[in-house]
Amino acid sequence: MRGWDGLVSSALLGTERRPPRFEELPPKIQEQLGEGGLLDAAALATLYKRAGRTPLEGLAPLPAAQGEDQPLPRPAAIRRLTAMLSGFQTTALGEWLRAADAKGWGVPPEQLPALADYARGRAEYRPLVVKAAGRRASWLADLNPDWRFLHEAVVEGNEHWTHGNPTQRRSWLRARRQSDPTKALEALEEVWPSEPAAVRLDFLGLLADGLPAGLGDAAPSADEVFLERALDDRSKEVRRAAAALLQRIPGSQYGERMAQRVWSQLTVSQGVLVVELPTGVTTAMERDGVDSQPKEGIGKRAWWFQQLLAAAPLATSELDYLQLKVEGCSPEVLQVAWAQAAIREQEADWARALLLSNARTGGRVAELLRILPPDEWVPAIELLRVRVDIADLVGGLPVPWPATLGTAVLDQLAKSGSDRRHARLASIAARAVPAEVLDHPITREPTGEEDTWRRRLVETLIFRREMYEELS
């Protein structure tokens, strides 16, 4: 309120040091104040503030949101959703939304604001909330700046690309990339020179889905040509992102350049891998994303070679190199690079060979494990757990797990008593085991007062089982 801060200053500093300026107060207060002093003015100003404000004029009611066709689930399921949004077993919220969508259930409209609030700081939940909001997504996004991500639901029409906000433009490009990759790339090329570096980097990441699978001896694809040009971008982050995408295009010119560099430094002689480490980083190497500054714990020449090998295409014929003696550098330099390449290419043969050979992979054992077919996870984990904590192994696997893995982990936890060393594994398993094993015998076994992690595991499994029953 106008004049209030002046009264506060006069009260704090004293009227001699800061005489009150009653003329700054609203006219109505001045009329009632008369010859009154500071305290009278403060009392009147307080009442004035509490009395409210003049009603706003010229307001129009909000337009009605579009309706939805999906039916709502039974009341018990809605009550469970409400409980999760209130803080109880909240980590199952995403699973509830996915299960409800799979069954064809909608979300009560009165729950959408709470869902939007929950997802605004949790990017992994945003696609689920956007889908749950359906036709109401854009309507809600316009009501609250914190819900701007709901604009991702609006992708129809080119106006969202030309005149939309950043979220709408990103959503439009992602959707167009899926439906018409050529048109999406043409639209991106048209605006590319005028976009800020951060926007260029963001848009570049959307090209990861739909990269060409390789054309052999044919001419480079439009994606490859565009990304090659991006290697000359003025932003280092954009250049490195372009290089990372080019690494994922089989048969690309980028991959050929990296392979040539590797084989100019690597030879096989009498059953030995001989490595001649690079003596420097050329301008061409820097253009292709090679970082000249080494990471801690590795020499700069070894670091340069490791980057070259990690970016070069893998070949199944080279799997036997894992068993060869290495000269010229530590075998770990090659093993880490091959692990990075196997993860990039999602190459199961290389992942399997690296895991079985006990290669040093720079802490990427779990990432290599998830490349294997799911039916190999249980036997692979049994071999790897002697050197890697099982919680580290399974914690990086996609959820829900296969039933075989879920059963195996719950069987182990059932035999573990109250050993607190299994608390982390139990916390992971509680959310990761699939719906078909939620009725595991461990849920019917008694738990002691000291078995905190065990009790939480059982409570979560039962909560999830009841959730699926309500949504069935």
Side-chain angles (χ1 to χ4, degrees):
M1 180 186 66
R2 185 166 55 89
W4 175 258
D5 292 339
L7 295 179
V8 173
S9 297
S10 297
L12 292 174
L13 300 176
T15 55
E16 293 184 357
R17 296 179 58 189
R18 208 296 190 177
R21 299 175 181 173
F22 300 137
E23 67 276 8
E24 295 179 352
L25 294 171
K28 293 293 184 184
I29 296 180
Q30 296 182 42
E31 292 176 6
Q32 297 295 323
L33 181 60
E35 300 298 324
L38 175 64
L39 294 181
D40 291 334
L44 287 169
T46 300
L47 290 173
Y48 185 91
K49 289 175 65 177
R50 290 178 179 176
R53 63 184 181 185
T54 304
L56 299 176
E57 299 178 354
L59 295 179
L62 290 172
Q66 295 188 55
E68 288 291 342
D69 298 327
Q70 287 184 309
L72 298 181
R74 65 185 69 174
I78 296 176
R79 287 195 295 271
R80 190 172 298 270
L81 173 62
T82 304
M84 287 187 285
L85 288 172
S86 300
F88 181 70
Q89 293 282 3
T90 307
T91 52
L93 179 59
E95 189 175 11
W96 189 100
L97 292 171
R98 284 188 291 270
D101 181 65
K103 295 290 185 180
W105 298 121
V107 173
E110 62 271 19
Q111 302 288 7
L112 292 177
L115 278 171
D117 273 337
Y118 186 80
R120 64 180 179 177
R122 301 171 176 86
E124 67 276 16
Y125 283 91
R126 290 183 178 182
L128 297 174
V129 176
V130 167
K131 195 168 187 180
R135 299 172 183 170
R136 300 183 175 100
S138 181
W139 184 87
L140 284 166
D142 290 334
L143 296 182
N144 187 339
D146 291 334
W147 300 343
R148 285 190 299 265
F149 68 90
L150 290 171
H151 278 303
E152 292 181 7
V154 184
V155 296
E156 302 87 354
N158 292 340
E159 65 275 8
H160 292 111
W161 173 247
T162 55
H163 299 94
N165 59 45
T167 302
Q168 290 172 321
R169 296 186 72 210
R170 193 176 194 278
S171 181
W172 183 94
L173 185 60
R174 182 195 297 113
R176 186 55 59 92
R177 177 70 173 170
Q178 296 171 353
S179 62
D180 192 340
T182 301
K183 292 293 185 183
L185 189 61
E186 290 175 356
L188 181 58
E189 287 181 305
E190 185 177 350
V191 302
W192 184 261
S194 61
E195 297 290 351
V199 175
R200 295 199 305 276
L201 181 63
D202 187 35
F203 285 163
L204 201 61
L206 299 179
L207 299 185
D209 292 331
L211 287 173
L215 301 175
D217 295 330
S221 66
D223 278 7
E224 184 178 347
V225 172
F226 174 75
L227 292 171
E228 281 284 348
R229 289 201 303 268
L231 291 177
D232 297 313
D233 195 272
R234 55 189 180 273
S235 165
K236 179 190 293 187
E237 288 75 17
V238 172
R239 295 196 299 270
R240 290 183 176 177
L245 290 173
L246 284 167
Q247 291 174 21
R248 298 175 54 178
I249 300 179
S252 68
Q253 295 176 356
Y254 178 95
E256 292 177 3
R257 294 197 298 271
M258 286 300 188
Q260 290 173 3
R261 291 172 180 139
V262 167
W263 290 109
S264 68
Q265 313 285 157
L266 178 66
T267 57
V268 183
S269 176
Q270 298 180 348
V272 177
L273 275 177
V274 182
V275 181
E276 183 181 348
L277 297 177
T279 57
V281 176
T282 65
T283 302
M285 289 166 62
E286 283 189 321
R287 178 181 183 271
D288 283 341
V290 176
D291 186 1
S292 60
Q293 298 300 317
K295 292 183 177 180
E296 185 177 354
I298 185 172
K300 61 181 181 180
R301 295 178 65 193
W303 168 239
W304 299 336
F305 180 75
Q306 187 178 90
Q307 292 178 83
L308 297 178
L309 185 58
L314 289 172
T316 305
S317 60
E318 299 167 7
L319 281 170
D320 293 340
Y321 292 172
L322 282 168
Q323 311 303 325
L324 300 182
K325 182 180 178 181
V326 178
E327 291 184 358
C329 70
S330 167
E332 185 177 353
V333 172
L334 279 69
Q335 293 166 0
V336 170
W338 281 327
Q340 292 173 343
I343 293 167
R344 180 191 71 241
E345 297 185 16
Q346 294 293 287
E347 177 49 62
D349 289 336
W350 271 92
R352 188 181 298 108
L354 287 162
L355 292 172
L356 294 179
S357 65
N358 291 329
R360 295 185 177 182
T361 60
R364 295 176 176 267
V365 172
E367 293 178 82
L368 292 168
L369 177 63
R370 66 185 298 165
I371 298 174
L372 300 182
D375 58 359
E376 296 185 27
W377 288 352
V378 172
I381 288 170
E382 288 300 317
L383 291 174
L384 296 170
R385 61 186 300 179
V386 297
R387 58 189 178 96
V388 182
D389 188 292
I390 187 173
D392 291 333
L393 291 172
V394 301
L397 295 176
V399 298
W401 294 341
T404 52
L405 177 58
T407 301
V409 171
L410 291 181
D411 285 346
Q412 176 182 331
L413 292 171
K415 300 173 184 176
S416 300
S418 58
D419 192 336
R420 294 184 179 179
R421 291 177 299 177
H422 294 89
R424 181 163 164 254
L425 177 61
S427 177
I428 296 170
R431 300 298 176 194
V433 298
E436 53 264 40
V437 300
L438 291 175
D439 196 28
H440 188 275
I442 195 173
T443 61
R444 296 184 289 275
E445 296 176 0
T447 57
E449 293 184 2
E450 302 299 322
D451 297 342
T452 305
W453 66 261
R454 195 181 185 91
R455 184 171 65 253
R456 289 176 179 170
L457 168 65
V458 171
E459 289 174 352
T460 302
L461 294 177
I462 293 175
F463 181 90
R464 292 178 58 211
R465 185 178 68 206
E466 293 174 345
M467 179 181 74
Y468 279 101
E469 291 171 352
E470 293 164 356
L471 290 171
S472 64

